[in-house]
Amino acid sequence: MTTYAHRALLLALSVATVATTVTAAAPVARADAPGANGPALTWRPCAEPGGLSGQECARLPVPLDYRDPDGPQIGLAVTRARSERPAARRGTLLVIPGGPGGSGVRQLKTKGPVLRKAMAGAYDLVSFDPRGVGGSTRAGCELDAADRHLVTLRSWPAPDGGIDANVARSRRIAEACDRHGGAVLRSFTTVNEARDIDRLRRALGEEKLSAWGSSYGTYVGAVYAQKYPRHTDRWVLDSIDDPDPSRVGRGWLANMAAGADDRFPDFAAWAADPARESAGLRLARRPADVRPLFLALAAKLDREPKESTTPGVPLTGNRLRQALQNALSSDALFAETARLVQQAQDPAAEPVLPAALAGPMPDQDAALMMATVCNDVRWPASVPAHRRAVTADRVRHPLTAGMPVNITPCGFWKAPAERPTRITADGPSNILMVQNRRDPYTPYFGALNMRRSLGDRARLVTLEHGGHGAYLGNGTACGDRTVTAFLTTGRRPQSDIHCAE
């Protein structure tokens, strides 16, 4: 064990002795009876086999436009699971989903059982589908099927690095969304999601909420904490977005190029491990050989796409690159991508595409994937500037081949209705951040920017680990213990700490 790793382990093991309680363990007072300060919620059972027992669902009306709070309303799907130990209950824990596009209703069904066990009755667990997601009010753009594939919604350049097709498609998508999305699509913004959360808080009758936001949910959580600081209790940000108000979603996309480079060595080590031999998934004898093998194969598929088991959807170089981006989120997906690489190399094999790459997205999902990030901040539209950026990024980060800095429909989108929220150190010191060192989607350097923005409001727990979505997922036991202790007891490290594997 290195000196650094040894020190990190000692810090991790000593969390209990260096932590301070930032929120008293006494129950958080309700503002009034549920629904007294907001719309009433009518709950119905919605538990599913294998999911969270006792789960209930309801619909929350929210203003389409908060400038006209008594005007047209839309509906959000909300869900809860009450504490099974009422005597231990101290408040409500809101699960803020990622995305944009993640379903909180679905997340509570899948993550709820393990979260309930970790919380030991301290909270009612609550979540929701944001505008445009799942059971909430949705909107579409009536996009052509060819424009709704993941590798076309994500602006992967042509094999030679050209972006003409990306420019034409981006303009076409933006114009279709402008024609067909209407006021509902325009209302999909982060600040509206924060406002919706506060409306949910009032409907629940809570003076304060605790929260666990992951991925994009960390930015939503930070915006809520900035706008409604006195209504935050214990606040956890997990796998953290860069809050730079001049870039927001554009910065998140651009950061993925370096994020993929940070994470790829984990995949290379896995794919070169002799333990993969028996399953036919070992790609090289040495980890150092996996990257050139992958890049060469992607370049070959650029020139000669290979027919897959999905008629009319060949395995191209960009589909292989996108499959890798998807897989880098979790070690559990490495085998699927290694198998795809093997099938692509075998002249007799017909590659089986991952489900996410085998067909077009539903129109409403495709619309939402763009709407929030396009509505939040103005994106540049200069085609020459994008050409230069793509050319440079393809050299610096060949795994992502220029996609993260390429032009998108946001470049041709209507100007945002509001300016992005600037995250600052103004507010209570009640935030715990948890971040994997090698996160491909929300890279560590972006999390550090959020840490600097929050100042003394936050503490950062760095996990020497890879993958996306740390707490109760792709993290470490040390990280899980630290987050659970904070949520259940209020104990938080006095300063930033590192957790070893």
Side-chain angles (χ1 to χ4, degrees):
M1 180 181 292
T2 65
T3 301
Y4 174 79
H6 181 65
R7 186 182 348 148
L9 180 58
L10 289 177
L11 281 169
L13 292 174
S14 62
V15 167
T17 61
V18 302
T20 56
T21 299
V22 300
T23 307
V28 176
R30 288 180 177 272
D32 203 339
N37 295 308
L41 295 169
T42 302
W43 296 100
R44 59 175 177 79
C46 60
E48 294 183 358
L52 190 60
S53 64
Q55 188 166 358
E56 300 175 294
C57 293
R59 194 162 185 84
L60 174 73
V62 297
L64 173 62
D65 185 343
Y66 276 91
R67 293 171 297 184
D68 182 16
D70 297 321
Q73 305 285 298
I74 59 176
L76 303 187
V78 300
T79 187
R80 74 175 177 187
R82 297 190 191 201
S83 166
E84 293 184 309
R85 298 175 59 214
R89 181 191 181 277
R90 66 170 311 276
T92 291
L93 176 65
L94 178 71
V95 177
I96 307 176
S103 165
V105 173
R106 178 58 52 187
Q107 186 173 351
L108 199 61
K109 288 177 179 177
T110 57
K111 284 281 192 180
V114 65
L115 181 60
R116 171 182 272 170
K117 182 178 179 181
M119 294 301 99
Y123 297 97
D124 293 344
L125 306 179
V126 173
S127 194
F128 65 105
D129 285 350
R131 299 175 183 225
V133 177
S136 296
T137 298
R138 311 195 73 187
C141 296
E142 298 185 22
L143 302 179
D144 293 340
D147 290 341
R148 290 188 272 111
H149 284 260
L150 188 53
V151 292
T152 50
L153 286 168
R154 291 277 172 86
S155 289
W156 289 94
D160 64 356
I163 68 169
D164 287 349
N166 304 127
V167 173
R169 183 181 299 112
S170 294
R171 190 186 300 275
R172 183 167 65 243
I173 289 173
E175 290 173 350
C177 288
D178 185 41
R179 284 195 306 273
H180 303 295
V184 173
L185 190 75
R186 291 285 292 167
S187 80
F188 299 165
T189 67
T190 300
V191 71
N192 274 343
E193 185 167 336
R195 291 168 177 144
D196 292 344
I197 288 173
D198 202 58
R199 192 170 177 88
L200 175 58
R201 176 193 63 78
R202 290 186 285 118
L204 293 168
E206 298 285 7
E207 179 62 28
K208 292 185 177 184
L209 293 172
S210 292
W212 168 33
S214 56
S215 193
Y216 167 67
T218 64
Y219 181 62
V220 175
V223 170
Y224 183 89
Q226 189 69 38
K227 292 181 68 65
Y228 306 98
R230 69 185 184 90
H231 295 304
T232 62
D233 184 22
R234 298 171 184 170
W235 219 246
V236 174
L237 306 182
D238 171 2
S239 305
I240 302 134
D241 274 323
D242 188 331
D244 180 353
S246 68
R247 303 176 76 200
V248 193
R250 180 166 62 95
W252 306 338
L253 184 62
N255 290 351
M256 287 174 62
D261 290 341
D262 291 344
R263 173 67 164 149
F264 187 83
D266 293 339
F267 173 71
W270 183 96
D273 190 329
R276 315 296 161 220
E277 198 81 63
S278 61
L281 298 178
R282 192 179 186 192
L283 301 183
R285 297 294 169 184
R286 301 181 307 151
D289 296 331
V290 176
R291 182 183 171 99
L293 178 153
F294 181 88
L295 292 174
L297 179 61
K300 180 181 178 181
L301 291 169
D302 282 339
R303 300 187 301 270
E304 304 169 11
K306 188 171 185 180
E307 292 302 316
S308 73
T309 56
T310 305
V313 185
L315 178 60
T316 62
N318 283 339
R319 280 198 171 86
L320 184 67
R321 295 180 184 101
Q322 184 62 62
L324 175 67
Q325 298 314 302
N326 294 354
L328 293 179
S329 66
S330 171
D331 292 10
L333 299 175
F334 286 176
E336 180 181 69
T337 298
R339 188 172 294 109
L340 186 64
V341 169
Q342 296 285 43
Q343 293 168 348
Q345 292 177 305
D346 183 353
E350 203 170 24
V352 179
L353 297 177
L357 299 178
M361 287 184 185
D363 182 66
Q364 292 176 329
D365 291 349
L368 178 65
M369 179 177 168
M370 299 169 297
T372 301
V373 293
C374 294
N375 288 335
D376 269 359
V377 69
R378 183 184 289 276
W379 293 48
S382 168
V383 174
H386 279 94
R387 284 201 178 100
R388 291 192 295 272
V390 166
T391 298
D393 217 53
R394 284 168 68 85
V395 174
R396 287 194 295 263
H397 307 290
L399 288 172
T400 47
M403 178 274 290
V405 298
N406 201 358
I407 199 162
T408 74
C410 298
F412 304 101
W413 213 259
K414 276 190 174 180
E418 300 179 75
R419 295 173 64 87
T421 302
R422 181 176 294 277
I423 306 303
T424 74
D426 297 329
S429 183
N430 61 354
I431 299 172
L432 182 68
M433 302 168 58
V434 59
Q435 174 74 34
N436 284 331
R437 175 81 71 176
R438 302 183 303 282
D439 187 319
Y441 297 163
T442 56
Y444 188 67
F445 58 85
L448 293 179
N449 288 339
M450 178 71 85
R451 177 69 184 86
R452 282 188 285 269
S453 295
L454 289 169
D456 194 52
R457 297 181 71 184
R459 302 291 183 268
L460 173 63
V461 181
T462 298
L463 310 183
E464 300 300 333
H465 197 67
H468 183 65
Y471 182 53
L472 302 179
N474 297 310
T476 67
C478 166
D480 287 353
R481 286 194 305 271
T482 306
V483 173
T484 297
F486 173 62
L487 288 173
T488 57
T489 72
R491 197 169 62 243
R492 191 184 66 165
Q494 288 184 335
S495 59
D496 297 350
I497 66 169
H498 288 74
C499 281
E501 291 284 348

